[in-house]
């Protein structure tokens, strides 16, 4: 019995993953056998871990469409004679001139060398190799293709480097012109994508000098990282992004991987920046070299933006300080103007006071001097007229009292103008105080045969300064005596209603004209009415009354039916204000 034959089928061995994709070559020939033979000879071809993708075109016209659509062809294996004797040579011109493809390597393969002499073709056409089909064995095809792919690879690197340098040179003025950190960050991501010539997403993260690894500032984001732009600047990074960014900040160097790469940048001002780039392909050595060159130039741009923003903040602060200082100067000028006005007013008041004092004090002094001379003459008589001398002494005493009253009024007014004046607050029985002041002024009323009546409750307490209130009430009563006609009646009342506590003095004097009513409480105001007994007046009494009332939270008032009908002067204190005191 014949032994059974067992055939072992080898396990399929998967091809190792190709790095960077396959090399693309195009076979242009009108002979189908050439296409089949080329594919067979190059079936196992590999270079740098990359296989081949072989494209076929059976005429020059077909090749034109193919090469226009596929711009990644590295090597073209081109027949010279196809639909015409020079179809291949015309295709060379189309590739170099029309498509402007200078990096693709062209290997001419001809079966009729005599129709396209090698020397003339090499000189006149931009081709890279010229082979007769009879001499292009599998080994020579392998060698020629490898040399062509190496040359193509080097040219691509040079072209990528040139293109990258052009991008860097073009981007530099634009990036340096940015005045916003966000605009610069967005521009950097855009230029990195252009530099790599790939579609990529990215995020740019800033760590200020002295910052921590846990708090980063996202400057810009694109692609799948765009959502970071809408967040707060210090918003934490996602869990899958934070470790990568933090590690780059720690290592302080670029890191290239697939698909993510990180770029590290440190400025001269101490700021650190990391760009996370998520590309759709691995980065070549050329890409990495260009990225390194590009980021080394970016530190200047970021420094410019950082310094510009600092300058802007300084300008804003300076402008604010200028505004504040200007406002202070305006306020100071206003205060100076007010002080100047006050000084002018004070100077005018000083002049007026001096004139008033000179005028008002002159009469009592003249009386005192005249009576003193008369006393001197009387002392020489024998026997001395004692009654007449006593009368003169009374006149001297009365004039001296008038002088004393004037001086006290001036001193009291000066005190009420003092800025540091204070009240000695204490419970005061206003009714008792009015009785005392009426009793003190009774002799003056008797001299003019005037009736002085007090209509008061048993007691009427308020909180205030007793001496100041006494002074105000005394001014009101003495003023009524001074301006009331001899034989007239003066009534002093004090009461409290639901709103105010009031002390009022009514007289039967000359009353107030409409002009007098508007200025009766002014300082140094001389009214149309004159004292009825020849008394002097400084024009300060009622202004002192008004000041004392205001210090107690109240007010002074004057009411008169008209000239010749008497008047009522009062000080009024709101019950609430009085209680608070």
């Amino acid at each position: 019995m014949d032994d059974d034959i067992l055939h072992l089928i080898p396990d399929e061995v998967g091809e190792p993953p190709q790095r960077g994709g396959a090399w693309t070559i195009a076979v242009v020939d009108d002979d189908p056998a050439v296409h089949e033979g080329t594919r067979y000879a190059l079936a196992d071809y590999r270079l740098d871990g990359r296989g081949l993708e072989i494209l076929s075109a059976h005429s020059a016209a077909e090749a034109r469409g193919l090469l226009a659509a596929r711009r990644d062809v590295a090597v073209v294996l081109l027949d010279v004679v196809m639909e015409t004797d020079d179809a291949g040579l015309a295709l060379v011109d189309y590739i170099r001139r029309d498509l402007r493809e200078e990096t693709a390597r062209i290997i001419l393969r001809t079966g009729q060398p005599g129709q396209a002499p090698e020397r003339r073709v090499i000189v006149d056409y931009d081709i890279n190799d010229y082979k007769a089909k009879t001499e292009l064995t599998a080994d020579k095809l392998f060698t020629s293709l490898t040399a062509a792919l190496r040359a193509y690879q080097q040219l691509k690197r040079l072209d990528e480097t040139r293109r990258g340098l052009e991008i860097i040179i073009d981007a530099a003025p634009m990036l340096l012109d940015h005045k916003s950190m966000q605009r610069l960050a967005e521009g950097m991501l855009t230029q990195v994508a252009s530099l790599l010539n790939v579609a990529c997403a990215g995020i740019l993260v800033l760590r200020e000098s002295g910052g921590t690894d846990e708090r980063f500032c996202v400057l810009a984001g694109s692609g799948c990282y765009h959502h970071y732009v809408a967040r707060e600047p210090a918003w934490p990074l996602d869990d899958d992004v934070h470790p990568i960014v933090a590690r780059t900040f720690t290592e302080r160097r670029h890191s290239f991987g697939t698909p993510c790469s990180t770029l590290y940048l440190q400025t001269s001002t101490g700021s650190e920046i990391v760009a996370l780039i998520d590309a759709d392909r691995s980065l070549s050595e050329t890409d990495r070299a260009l990225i390194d060159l590009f980021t080394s130039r970016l530190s200047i741009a970021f420094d410019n933006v950082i310094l510009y923003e600092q300058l802007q903040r300084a300008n804003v602060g300076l402008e604010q300080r200028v505004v504040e200082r200007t406002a202070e100067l305006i306020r100071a000028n206003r205060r100076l103007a007010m002080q100047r006005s006050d000084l002018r007013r004070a100077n005018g008041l000083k002049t007026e006071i001096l004139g008033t004092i000179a005028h008002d004090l002159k009469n009592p002094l003249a009386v005192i001097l005249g009576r003193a001379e008369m006393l001197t003459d009387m002392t020489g008589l024998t026997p001395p007229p004692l009654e007449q001398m006593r009368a003169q002494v009374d006149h001297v005493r009365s004039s001296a009292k008038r002088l004393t009253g004037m001086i006290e009024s001036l001193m009291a007014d000066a005190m009420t103008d003092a800025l540091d004046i204070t009240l000695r607050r204490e419970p005061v029985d206003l009714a008792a105080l009015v009785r005392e002041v009426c009793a003190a002024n009774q002799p003056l009323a008797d001299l003019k045969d005037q009736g002085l009546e007090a209509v008061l409750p048993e007691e009427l307490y308020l909180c205030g300064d007793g001496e100041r209130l006494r002074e105000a009430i005394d001014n009101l009563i003495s003023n009524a005596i001074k301006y009331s006609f001899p034989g007239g009646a003066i009534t002093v009342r004090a009461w409290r209603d639901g709103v105010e506590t009031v002390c009022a003095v009514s007289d039967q004097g000359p009353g107030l004209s409409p002009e007098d009513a508007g200025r009766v409480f002014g300082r140094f105001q001389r009214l149309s009415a004159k004292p009825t007994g020849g008394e002097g007046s400084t024009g300060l009494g009622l202004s002192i009354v008004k000041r004392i009332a205001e210090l107690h939270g109240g007010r002074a008032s004057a009411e008169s039916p008209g000239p010749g009908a008497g008047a009522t002067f009062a000080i009024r204190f709101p019950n609430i204000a009085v209680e608070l005191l």
Side-chain angles (χ1 to χ4, degrees):
M1 184 176 63
D2 296 333
D3 293 334
D4 293 333
I5 299 175
L6 180 64
H7 296 279
L8 298 178
I9 301 175
D11 295 334
E12 292 184 0
V13 179
E15 294 184 356
Q18 297 182 355
R19 182 164 54 90
W23 301 101
T24 303
I25 68 171
V27 178
V28 183
D29 202 300
D30 58 354
D31 186 354
V34 173
H35 290 272
E36 295 177 2
T38 302
R39 290 180 181 275
Y40 180 78
L42 300 177
D44 297 327
Y45 183 90
R46 302 194 69 80
L47 178 63
D48 293 338
R50 301 167 63 182
L52 294 177
E53 179 186 2
I54 302 176
L55 307 176
S56 294
H58 297 85
S59 67
E62 184 182 351
R64 287 172 183 260
L66 174 65
L67 295 174
R70 293 292 299 267
R71 302 305 298 269
D72 59 339
V73 175
V75 179
V76 179
L77 299 175
L78 177 60
D79 188 13
V80 176
V81 181
M82 289 180 285
E83 60 263 44
T84 61
D85 291 344
D86 62 348
L89 298 179
L91 183 60
V92 172
D93 284 337
Y94 173 77
I95 294 171
R96 298 305 191 201
R97 295 177 185 178
D98 295 346
L99 296 183
R100 297 184 180 276
E101 180 56 66
E102 299 178 353
T103 56
R105 302 294 85 193
I106 301 176
I107 301 176
L108 282 183
R109 297 192 300 181
T110 180
Q112 305 174 24
Q115 292 185 353
E118 181 176 354
R119 290 189 177 183
R120 184 179 68 81
V121 171
I122 289 293
V123 171
D124 294 344
Y125 296 90
D126 184 7
I127 64 174
N128 307 104
D129 203 353
Y130 185 96
K131 299 292 184 182
K133 292 182 179 180
T134 55
E135 66 173 319
L136 199 59
T137 62
D139 290 338
K140 288 186 178 181
L141 179 59
F142 180 91
T143 302
S144 297
L145 181 60
T146 301
L149 289 176
R150 293 290 190 195
Y152 172 80
Q153 188 179 40
Q154 293 173 358
L155 288 175
K156 289 296 289 184
R157 287 177 180 173
L158 290 174
D159 184 64
E160 290 174 357
T161 302
R162 175 188 58 78
R163 184 184 60 82
L165 291 175
E166 289 176 353
I167 292 174
I168 292 173
I169 292 172
D170 292 339
M174 180 193 67
L175 294 175
L176 288 172
D177 190 53
H178 283 312
K179 298 298 186 293
S180 163
M181 182 67 77
Q182 183 177 358
R183 288 283 307 280
L184 176 59
E186 293 171 352
M188 176 183 172
L189 291 179
T190 302
Q191 293 302 325
V192 166
S194 177
L195 187 64
L196 299 178
N197 197 24
V198 295
C200 63
I203 183 175
L204 207 67
V205 182
L206 170 69
R207 182 176 71 177
E208 297 282 359
S209 56
T212 65
D213 289 342
E214 300 302 324
R215 293 182 63 85
F216 302 131
C217 177
V218 176
L219 301 179
S222 63
C224 61
Y225 302 102
H226 183 72
H227 62 281
Y228 282 102
V229 178
R231 297 182 178 181
E232 294 293 329
W235 192 274
L237 299 175
D238 293 340
D239 294 339
D240 57 338
V241 176
H242 185 276
I244 301 174
V245 173
R247 183 175 66 251
T248 305
F249 275 122
T250 302
E251 296 176 354
R252 296 187 173 183
R253 62 181 178 85
H254 300 329
S255 176
F256 298 100
T258 303
C260 290
S261 298
T262 53
L263 314 177
Y264 175 79
L265 173 65
Q266 184 175 27
T267 69
S268 60
T269 58
S271 298
E272 295 177 286
I273 299 167
V274 165
L276 176 63
I277 306 299
D278 192 347
D280 57 4
R281 65 170 175 82
S282 60
L283 304 185
S284 66
E285 292 297 329
T286 303
D287 294 332
R288 299 180 183 186
L290 290 172
I291 286 292
D292 190 54
L293 177 63
F294 181 61
T295 54
S296 67
R297 298 297 182 268
L298 274 177
S299 62
I300 299 175
F302 278 104
D303 273 336
N304 286 345
V305 171
I306 292 171
L307 293 175
Y308 178 80
E309 291 183 347
Q310 291 175 353
L311 180 61
Q312 288 294 97
R313 289 193 294 269
N315 284 339
V316 171
L318 180 60
E319 290 175 359
Q320 182 63 30
R321 288 195 294 271
V322 169
V323 171
E324 293 174 355
R325 183 57 179 165
T326 302
E328 291 178 1
L329 291 175
I330 292 174
R331 290 193 294 270
N333 287 335
R334 289 176 179 172
R335 289 195 299 269
L336 289 175
M338 294 176 62
Q339 292 173 359
R340 183 180 180 183
S341 176
D342 291 342
L343 288 175
R344 286 181 176 177
R345 183 171 62 86
N347 189 55
L349 291 176
K350 179 195 69 174
T351 303
E352 190 173 358
I353 289 173
L354 290 176
T356 301
I357 292 174
H359 179 271
D360 289 348
L361 298 186
K362 180 173 65 175
N363 290 336
L365 286 174
V367 172
I368 291 173
L369 290 174
R371 301 298 180 181
E373 290 178 358
M374 293 177 66
L375 284 172
T376 302
D377 293 339
M378 291 179 182
T379 58
L381 297 177
T382 304
L386 297 180
E387 292 299 327
Q388 295 180 10
M389 293 176 69
R390 290 190 184 95
Q392 297 302 325
V393 170
D394 290 339
H395 285 303
V396 170
R397 183 181 295 110
S398 175
S399 297
K401 287 181 178 180
R402 289 171 57 195
L403 279 174
T404 301
M406 292 178 186
I407 293 172
E408 288 178 350
S409 295
L410 290 172
M411 292 178 64
D413 184 64
M415 291 179 65
T416 58
D417 281 345
L419 296 178
D420 58 348
I421 186 171
T422 57
L423 296 178
R424 186 178 59 189
R425 298 183 178 92
E426 59 184 2
V428 177
D429 185 353
L430 185 63
L433 188 62
V434 171
R435 291 189 188 94
E436 293 176 8
V437 176
C438 286
N441 282 275
Q442 187 65 52
L444 295 176
D446 292 342
L447 290 175
K448 298 180 71 174
D449 197 22
Q450 295 170 337
L452 180 59
E453 180 184 8
V455 181
L456 305 168
E458 287 296 325
E459 59 182 26
L460 183 62
Y461 279 92
L462 58 79
C463 188
D465 189 322
E467 292 302 320
R468 292 292 184 183
L469 292 173
R470 180 190 299 275
E471 182 179 0
I473 298 169
D474 184 70
N475 277 337
L476 291 179
I477 295 176
S478 62
N479 204 60
I481 294 172
K482 184 186 300 182
Y483 286 94
S484 293
F485 297 109
I490 300 171
T491 304
V492 183
R493 294 182 175 86
W495 72 90
R496 174 177 293 157
D497 56 24
V499 179
E500 295 177 316
T501 298
V502 184
C503 177
V505 179
S506 301
D507 62 47
Q508 296 177 345
L512 296 173
S513 67
E515 294 79 9
D516 290 342
R519 56 192 181 93
V520 65
F521 290 106
R523 297 178 61 190
F524 304 106
Q525 294 296 324
R526 299 297 182 89
L527 306 181
S528 57
K530 304 298 181 183
T532 57
E535 298 93 341
S537 173
T538 62
L540 294 173
L542 291 179
S543 67
I544 294 173
V545 171
K546 176 176 179 290
R547 177 64 172 160
I548 292 174
E550 290 174 348
L551 287 173
H552 284 79
R555 61 189 177 92
S557 66
E559 299 175 356
S560 175
T568 299
F569 295 86
I571 49 178
R572 303 170 180 273
F573 308 100
N575 289 335
I576 296 177
V578 170
E579 292 170 1
L580 291 177
L581 287 173

